[in-house]
């Protein structure tokens, strides 16, 4: 997972953008709000996946 990647928080809704990463956490921008969340709670869409 890298800065600028689009990630999804399951059961929440639209994609969020990774702003900063740490060892087990990622700071994301979600609908204009930035906060830290555990990386294992995020889903990263695979290349070519359009389901989201």
């Amino acid at each position: 997972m890298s800065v600028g990647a689009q990630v999804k928080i399951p059961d929440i809704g639209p994609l969020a953008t990774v702003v900063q990463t740490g060892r087990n956490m990622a700071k994301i921008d979600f609908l204009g709000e930035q906060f830290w969340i555990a990386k294992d709670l995020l889903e990263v869409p695979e290349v070519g996946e359009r389901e989201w």
Side-chain angles (χ1 to χ4, degrees):
M1 183 178 312
S2 60
V3 173
Q6 295 289 305
V7 295
K8 183 174 182 191
I9 306 168
D11 301 325
I12 298 291
L15 295 176
T17 304
V18 176
V19 177
Q20 184 178 350
T21 61
R23 179 172 287 161
N24 297 318
M25 303 286 284
K27 186 175 186 180
I28 63 170
D29 183 314
F30 182 72
L31 301 175
E33 297 290 327
Q34 292 187 1
F35 57 92
W36 288 93
I37 188 169
K39 285 183 178 179
D40 59 348
L41 296 177
L42 300 172
E43 293 180 356
V44 180
E46 296 180 19
V47 175
E49 187 173 342
R50 295 175 185 238
E51 187 175 313
W52 297 356

